[in-house]
Amino acid sequence: MLCVGRLGGFGARAAALPPRWAGQGSLQAGIRARRVSTSWSPVGAAFNVKPQGSRLDLFGERRGLFGVPELSAPEGFHIAQEKALRKTELLVDRACSTPPGPQTVLIFDELSDSLCRVADLADFVKIAHPEPAFREAAEEACRSIGTMVEKLNTNVDLYQSLQKLLADKKLVDSLDPETRRVAELFMFDFEISGIHLDKEKRKRAVDLNVKILDLSSTFLMGTNFPNKIEKHLLPEHIRHNFTSAGDHIIIDGLHAEAPDDLVREAAYKIFLYPNAGQLKCLEELLSSRDLLAKLVGYSTFSHRALQGTIAKNPETVMQFLEKLSDKLSERTLKDFEMIREMKMKLNPQNCEVMPWDPPYYSGVIRAERYNIEPSLYCPFFSLGACMEGLNILLNRLLGISLYAEQPAKGEVWSEDVRKLAVVHESEGLLGYIYCDFFQRADKPHQDCHFTIRGGRLKEDGDYQLPVVVLMLNLPRSSRSSPTLLTPGMMENLFHEMGHAMHSMLGRTRYQHVTGTRCPTDFAEVPSILMEYFANDYRVVNQFARHYQTGQPLPKNMVSRLCESKKVCAAADMQLQVFYAALDQIYHGKHPLRNSTTDILKETQEKFYGLPYVPNTAWQLRFSHLVGYGAKYYSYLMSRAVASMVWKECFLQDPFNRAAGERYRREMLAHGGGREPMLMVEAVMTVLTQSCPQRTNMHRHKQAMRWLRDDLV
């Protein structure tokens, strides 16, 4: 999962992805290779030993978080943000006084970089740092930078300096493709912020943006807020499954894996019981997004949000989802029948399949058919072994290695954070990954990738190395064993490392399009692709060894695990189609034809098939409506692209170096600096060969059909 930044325009396009590399001639030639450090150590061993704490350094200077000198104390955020804001003012003056040309785009990108280097770092620290003072200071920095971004996105003088460039055909024709795209992306950010409106409407657009940010924050908090019920209303024999608080029982989740049907039913009905305040917040959020979209010239928020994506528009998304649903329907019905039979076998009194049943009973079916108890696999997946497996794969596929490096005093926020140097065999040091892998108090329970600093070519010809954080929630090692991963944890590790590699590999000229600063429905492709490697025995066999005996993981165990994932896969995907369709309808034509709950009921019956449960409102727990508003379909679209890339490039040989270089050159290298469909077509020769003479529109439709069909 990407942690998607809240800031638009100059604040960045998303979170973290890669730059551009070889194939770019003069740019690559102009970057000096970084030397190898003698302080680096093997990555596998670094993750299978307990952290030793900070080095004894009585006289060393405290460097600050991520090596930023100001951030040795919380007060440093104020210093960093003020420095960034002062630099911003100077760069705005430069942009407005510089004659239009390529230099204009470079100044805009430096402006974006100066803000992102504070905002991106603060976005991570405000949720992950263990000290409240650091979190509060980071939150204030985010607020301050966000205010500046809104001002810049409606600054007419700044807008006109870019417009002069793009209005001059001769100048535009002289720009290289990446520079032209970045200029157009900056212009697009101005336009969706309402720069073309009169002064009064621009102010209204800014006010709506601020309101949407506040509503988003409130709604997001409410999605995780527990519900409570008086004890006497619950059967006594199931109360022990929940937390007690005086005369009440606290329900803080769906308890989807609980073996007792009544526990799951109670959790579902209580946790999803409608909250009037949360309902009002969602309605205001959707309405405000619609007002903003209409104000800046779009018919719906979805039309505004999907500009520049693979899908291009909501009509294509809905067609994709409806066709996919049709193709899944028969298999989904078979899955539900299989679940019904298992439920009848275990609970003959009530065999109707309800929405709280599929996660549990599909797991029962998998375990019964394939004997995939996680405890059988964990001993083969020590964290160190998995990291060494990633190192082997990346080295053979892309020529890069991961090395552990000792962080300086004050550089990390917890002593168990590991720092990795990413090194290419000929290009040298590519960047750094901070691995925040272990559970701790107050740490968010989510697996995420954060950009801390994006890569870009600096004026002096040197390259600003990308820096990212991977955040997981793994158990700590014990006295008798290192950290052991379940198969699901191992797959998540590979997934998040896919995001990190997207950030590390390549060298874009511009920070504004580095790494995951690309369309949402393309950003998950590299991470999902890594899941295919994690489930291929040829890859797993390179590293899965029992931590005590050294015995390799038997091939039949990997085969059983892979086969088990096909159980109820259609029903699982059908559920994602339902969520994506609901998201599109909520962000479609307003005013909505019914309440959000009535729309939920209709959409669930059409796209999922299991009955709606009265007096529930699942949409009030749909946290993705904030970060992925109108874009939840992106997971399905990215999975379709990743599936095709796997089959085209790596199915025959997951270690094919030529295929790896092609994947890097045509997809990873460009970040958001190239149209996503052009990157897909460049890798997927089957697309270009099937319709070489067709128009772009016809080729796009053909690609959508290929992607949809490949999913099923």
Side-chain angles (χ1 to χ4, degrees):
M1 171 183 174
L2 294 174
C3 178
V4 181
R6 298 184 306 165
L7 306 176
F10 291 93
R13 305 198 62 78
L17 294 200
R20 187 179 291 195
W21 71 308
Q24 286 202 317
S26 58
L27 176 57
Q28 181 65 19
I31 299 174
R32 297 183 291 274
R34 307 276 177 147
R35 292 182 178 179
V36 174
S37 170
T38 55
S39 66
W40 291 334
S41 59
V43 69
F47 283 87
N48 266 3
V49 296
K50 289 189 175 183
Q52 300 301 309
S54 303
R55 289 178 299 177
L56 183 61
D57 190 355
L58 300 178
F59 306 103
E61 183 181 354
R62 188 178 177 86
R63 289 181 60 185
L65 292 173
F66 299 103
V68 178
E70 294 89 348
L71 300 185
S72 58
E75 298 76 26
F77 269 107
H78 181 73
I79 298 171
Q81 79 189 36
E82 289 302 310
K83 183 187 293 186
L85 294 176
R86 286 195 300 272
K87 185 176 181 181
T88 294
E89 292 179 7
L90 295 174
L91 289 169
V92 168
D93 290 341
R94 259 181 74 191
C96 294
S97 60
T98 299
Q103 188 65 22
T104 304
V105 184
L106 288 171
I107 296 170
F108 268 64
D109 190 65
E110 189 175 356
L111 185 54
S112 174
D113 183 62
S114 67
L115 294 169
C116 286
R117 290 183 66 171
V118 177
D120 287 344
L121 193 156
D123 261 337
F124 169 73
V125 172
K126 75 179 183 182
I127 70 164
H129 202 288
E131 296 179 27
F134 266 102
R135 295 199 299 268
E136 291 165 10
E139 178 69 50
E140 180 56 38
C142 286
R143 197 174 294 117
S144 176
I145 297 297
T147 300
M148 174 56 75
V149 168
E150 293 301 334
K151 290 180 180 178
L152 292 176
N153 285 342
T154 54
N155 184 315
V156 175
D157 292 336
L158 193 60
Y159 161 73
Q160 288 176 345
S161 70
L162 184 62
Q163 188 184 45
K164 289 175 185 175
L165 169 62
L166 291 175
D168 189 323
K169 186 177 184 304
K170 187 175 181 180
L171 278 176
V172 170
D173 290 343
S174 70
L175 301 177
D176 65 84
E178 185 183 22
T179 300
R180 180 173 177 171
R181 176 165 171 79
V182 171
E184 291 170 346
L185 288 173
F186 277 119
M187 179 58 72
F188 174 67
D189 291 330
F190 276 124
E191 290 170 351
I192 65 171
S193 298
I195 193 68
H196 55 288
L197 304 174
D198 60 41
K199 186 176 181 179
E200 184 179 337
K201 288 182 178 178
R202 285 202 308 274
K203 183 180 183 306
R204 189 178 172 210
V206 171
D207 291 342
L208 276 170
N209 268 314
V210 172
K211 182 180 181 181
I212 288 167
L213 284 175
D214 290 341
L215 288 168
S216 296
S217 178
T218 302
F219 180 78
L220 199 57
M221 288 179 61
T223 60
N224 293 311
F225 201 76
N227 276 342
K228 63 181 180 180
I229 188 173
E230 293 179 17
K231 273 186 180 178
H232 72 272
L233 295 175
L234 271 188
E236 187 174 354
H237 72 279
I238 68 168
R239 293 177 192 169
H240 70 277
N241 291 279
F242 308 108
T243 303
S244 294
D247 294 331
H248 289 83
I249 295 290
I250 306 299
I251 311 293
D252 60 0
L254 292 174
H255 291 250
E257 304 299 328
D260 190 322
D261 287 354
L262 190 57
V263 170
R264 296 195 311 278
E265 178 180 353
Y268 189 94
K269 290 180 175 178
I270 298 168
F271 188 64
L272 299 184
Y273 189 80
N275 176 285
Q278 182 77 340
L279 185 60
K280 182 181 179 183
C281 181
L282 175 59
E283 290 169 348
E284 284 192 41
L285 175 60
L286 297 176
S287 176
S288 298
R289 283 174 169 174
D290 181 70
L291 288 172
L292 177 63
K294 287 186 169 70
L295 181 63
V296 299
Y298 294 90
S299 57
T300 70
F301 181 80
S302 189
H303 282 90
R304 177 180 184 263
L306 297 183
Q307 290 291 304
T309 61
I310 293 177
K312 296 184 182 294
N313 56 64
E315 292 79 16
T316 300
V317 172
M318 284 307 295
Q319 185 180 45
F320 174 80
L321 295 174
E322 287 168 353
K323 296 286 187 182
L324 180 56
S325 183
D326 289 344
K327 285 182 170 290
L328 286 169
S329 60
E330 187 176 335
R331 286 170 50 197
T332 299
L333 289 174
K334 290 180 179 178
D335 285 352
F336 286 152
E337 177 60 23
M338 185 164 54
I339 290 171
R340 189 190 68 80
E341 290 173 357
M342 178 57 73
K343 185 173 183 179
M344 184 166 62
K345 177 181 175 182
L346 299 180
N347 183 8
Q349 293 80 21
N350 180 13
C351 61
E352 182 184 5
V353 179
M354 298 299 289
W356 51 80
D357 288 329
Y360 172 70
Y361 283 108
S362 59
V364 172
I365 296 168
R366 291 185 189 106
E368 184 180 88
R369 286 189 182 181
Y370 297 104
N371 188 24
I372 54 164
E373 169 60 38
S375 63
L376 298 174
Y377 288 84
C378 291
F380 295 92
F381 293 138
S382 71
L383 178 56
C386 293
M387 292 302 297
E388 189 56 42
L390 282 165
N391 195 43
I392 292 168
L393 173 65
L394 297 172
N395 186 265
R396 292 179 62 177
L397 201 62
L398 295 158
I400 68 174
S401 299
L402 306 175
Y403 293 97
E405 181 175 304
Q406 179 69 42
K409 182 181 179 182
E411 187 177 349
V412 296
W413 49 100
S414 178
E415 68 172 13
D416 56 13
V417 173
R418 309 293 209 279
K419 180 182 180 182
L420 297 183
V422 181
V423 184
H424 189 271
E425 61 191 16
S426 61
E427 298 170 34
L429 181 61
L430 299 181
Y432 289 104
I433 302 171
Y434 289 84
C435 299
D436 188 355
F437 282 176
F438 302 103
Q439 298 168 349
R440 64 173 177 270
D442 297 326
K443 182 180 177 182
H445 293 284
Q446 57 190 40
D447 296 342
C448 281
H449 164 275
F450 296 83
T451 297
I452 301 302
R453 184 178 70 196
R456 72 183 182 100
L457 187 63
K458 297 190 289 188
E459 286 190 36
D460 62 4
D462 205 355
Y463 198 79
Q464 178 172 292
L465 296 179
V467 176
V468 305
V469 172
L470 295 188
M471 187 169 75
L472 305 176
N473 275 276
L474 303 178
R476 295 175 180 273
S477 58
S478 67
R479 286 186 176 182
S480 59
S481 71
T483 292
L484 302 178
L485 278 59
T486 65
M489 291 175 182
M490 184 271 285
E491 186 177 283
N492 285 348
L493 172 62
F494 271 63
H495 177 103
E496 298 304 332
M497 189 60 75
H499 284 312
M501 288 302 105
H502 202 175
S503 294
M504 296 291 123
L505 291 171
R507 286 295 182 268
T508 49
R509 181 179 288 114
Y510 301 102
Q511 180 272 160
H512 195 62
V513 291
T514 190
T516 51
R517 306 201 206 283
C518 66
T520 309
D521 55 5
F522 183 75
E524 293 288 336
V525 172
S527 53
I528 293 174
L529 180 63
M530 285 294 286
E531 295 176 19
Y532 285 90
F533 288 98
N535 287 287
D536 189 291
Y537 180 73
R538 293 166 295 182
V539 175
V540 175
N541 186 51
Q542 298 293 314
F543 68 89
R545 298 285 186 276
H546 196 287
Y547 76 98
Q548 291 176 316
T549 66
Q551 173 193 355
L553 181 67
K555 185 174 183 178
N556 70 321
M557 287 183 68
V558 178
S559 300
R560 293 203 311 266
L561 187 64
C562 293
E563 284 299 309
S564 73
K565 293 182 180 182
K566 298 176 184 177
V567 173
C568 298
D572 291 343
M573 187 174 291
Q574 191 78 58
L575 182 63
Q576 296 303 310
V577 172
F578 157 47
Y579 293 162
L582 184 68
D583 175 43
Q584 285 300 308
I585 295 169
Y586 281 167
H587 291 99
K589 188 177 180 180
H590 276 242
L592 296 173
R593 64 180 182 272
N594 278 315
S595 70
T596 58
T597 302
D598 285 339
I599 291 171
L600 170 75
K601 179 181 177 182
E602 296 166 10
T603 310
Q604 181 169 329
E605 290 171 352
K606 178 180 178 180
F607 285 98
Y608 192 39
L610 295 187
Y612 164 76
V613 179
N615 296 315
T616 63
W618 179 85
Q619 76 275 19
L620 303 184
R621 302 291 185 176
F622 194 5
S623 59
H624 283 80
L625 288 175
V626 173
Y628 281 73
K631 296 180 180 179
Y632 190 82
Y633 77 93
S634 297
Y635 289 107
L636 289 166
M637 189 75 76
S638 290
R639 185 162 293 282
V641 175
S643 173
M644 293 190 72
V645 172
W646 170 257
K647 291 173 182 176
E648 172 94 1
C649 301
F650 304 112
L651 179 60
Q652 293 300 315
D653 178 6
F655 300 107
N656 187 318
R657 181 63 181 267
E661 295 292 355
R662 175 184 167 198
Y663 170 57
R664 178 185 178 186
R665 181 177 65 250
E666 302 294 352
M667 290 187 77
L668 297 182
H670 302 286
R674 193 177 181 193
E675 286 282 349
M677 189 50 74
L678 293 178
M679 291 188 276
V680 174
E681 288 180 349
V683 170
M684 306 309 303
T685 55
V686 65
L687 295 177
T688 53
Q689 289 172 356
S690 64
C691 47
Q693 305 303 321
R694 308 293 289 276
T695 65
N696 286 340
M697 182 179 71
H698 283 106
R699 290 174 69 180
H700 183 259
K701 288 182 177 179
Q702 176 72 11
M704 289 298 105
R705 285 194 292 272
W706 274 98
L707 293 175
R708 180 191 67 232
D709 293 346
D710 196 75
L711 270 178
V712 293

